[in-house]
Amino acid sequence: MPWLGLGVWKAKTGGEVETAVRLALKAGYRSIDTAAAYGNEEGVAKGIAESGVARDEIFIATKVWNNDQGYDNTLRAYEDSCRRLETDIIDLYLIHWPVAGKFKDTWRALEKLYKDGAVRAIGVCNFHTHHMMELLTDAEMKPMVNQVEYHPLLTQPELVAFCQNNGIVFEAWSPLMQGNLDLPEIAELAAKYKKSPAQIVLRWDLQHGIVTIPKSVTESRIRENADVFDFVLSEEDMARLDGLNQNKRFGPDPDNFDF
């Protein structure tokens, strides 16, 4: 699983997502994160086909939506995603949200898909520690990934520690705070390292050992977001960013969602 990928939330099929995927693959990305709920899996497939990059070089992640959770429904949803993505195997298949009363049965379906060789890895999204612990009481396998909202204003140290202590890859969605990067501390570090605010935050993710999937549909920003491997933040500057935490969410709280 690459450390850096392209997120395509809200990228529209019909040109936008196809172009973003094609440009990202041209820029060297090899990981694309989508979901059934995004409504753009077909566009992702088209962008991959147009890129000329071989399918076996690309790591594709997608997610089962809440309405499709449950054992049998999940198996059908997986087949639908494969059809839309024009692939016979998904690299990472995730439970999108911890729907009460359903996510355990959904996980059993993911375990079956993994055992059958239909997916290369399985995991969850938006699971707090208590969701993870509840899942693990009956699971045969641990999730390989937990993808959650994570950025300097929401660092979730207890959840990060739980995942890392249990060998679960921690992955950040909305790492760039949905564009809310206008913080003086980030601006100062951007000037110091001669990098953009986005590059500072993405580098902070990577140095914490966190996989990150920034979303963009703009070629210059897609390229800029990938240009984060030629500098290192000092320990002092990492600590400054750590200290920005406010437990602030830009997305829904996994304990309070109604979709």
Side-chain angles (χ1 to χ4, degrees):
M1 183 179 184
W3 283 102
L4 183 76
L6 178 74
V8 297
W9 177 58
K10 287 191 174 180
K12 299 173 184 176
T13 289
E16 187 174 64
V17 73
E18 294 89 339
T19 299
V21 168
R22 187 179 69 252
L23 291 172
L25 293 171
K26 180 181 177 182
Y29 288 71
R30 289 298 181 268
S31 175
I32 308 296
D33 180 272
T34 184
Y38 298 171
N40 59 18
E41 288 173 316
E42 297 96 334
V44 168
K46 186 175 180 181
I48 289 171
E50 292 173 351
S51 75
V53 177
R55 168 66 184 93
D56 60 8
E57 294 182 25
I58 303 168
F59 189 95
I60 298 176
T62 193
K63 311 171 188 78
V64 56
W65 183 238
N66 301 350
N67 292 342
D68 293 323
Q69 287 198 37
Y71 186 82
D72 291 331
N73 287 345
T74 295
L75 296 178
R76 285 192 291 269
Y78 163 81
E79 295 292 342
D80 289 342
S81 282
C82 282
R83 175 180 49 79
R84 290 189 293 263
L85 288 165
E86 299 180 20
T87 186
D88 57 3
I89 189 168
I90 289 171
D91 299 290
L92 175 61
Y93 200 42
L94 302 164
I95 299 176
H96 208 151
W97 289 87
V99 176
K102 288 188 176 182
F103 68 74
K104 285 189 176 185
D105 287 337
T106 304
W107 185 250
R108 285 196 304 112
L110 265 61
E111 289 177 328
K112 173 178 170 51
L113 291 169
Y114 180 80
K115 292 173 187 175
D116 290 349
V119 297
R120 293 192 171 96
I122 54 177
V124 297
C125 296
N126 304 303
F127 273 49
H128 285 322
T129 300
H130 71 87
H131 296 123
M132 302 285 283
M133 293 179 71
E134 182 179 349
L135 182 68
L136 291 172
T137 58
D138 299 311
E140 294 182 39
M141 303 169 58
K142 289 188 295 188
M144 299 170 188
V145 174
N146 187 15
Q147 183 189 116
V148 303
E149 182 177 355
Y150 175 89
H151 44 69
L153 296 182
L154 181 68
T155 59
Q156 307 201 69
E158 297 83 5
L159 182 57
V160 172
F162 178 88
C163 290
Q164 293 180 341
N165 290 340
N166 284 277
I168 299 166
V169 173
F170 194 93
E171 184 176 15
W173 63 258
S174 281
L176 301 179
M177 301 183 281
Q178 300 181 18
N180 293 280
L181 293 168
D182 189 19
L183 298 171
E185 294 86 352
I186 294 176
E188 289 172 18
L189 294 181
K192 175 180 176 179
Y193 289 93
K194 296 181 172 57
K195 290 287 184 177
S196 72
Q199 288 170 322
I200 294 297
V201 172
L202 295 174
R203 184 66 209 179
W204 171 78
D205 275 2
L206 296 174
Q207 285 182 222
H208 274 310
I210 289 168
V211 174
T212 184
I213 45 169
K215 180 253 179 173
S216 181
V217 295
T218 305
E219 182 172 10
S220 60
R221 289 182 179 171
I222 287 171
R223 291 182 175 278
E224 177 184 286
N225 290 344
D227 187 20
V228 291
F229 295 96
D230 61 349
F231 74 107
V232 176
L233 297 172
S234 70
E235 289 186 13
E236 178 184 3
D237 291 334
M238 288 289 290
R240 287 187 69 192
L241 292 174
D242 292 345
L244 295 177
N245 182 50
Q246 300 175 11
N247 298 322
K248 178 178 176 59
R249 295 182 180 276
F250 293 96
D253 185 334
D255 280 333
N256 295 286
F257 65 94
D258 58 358
F259 44 82

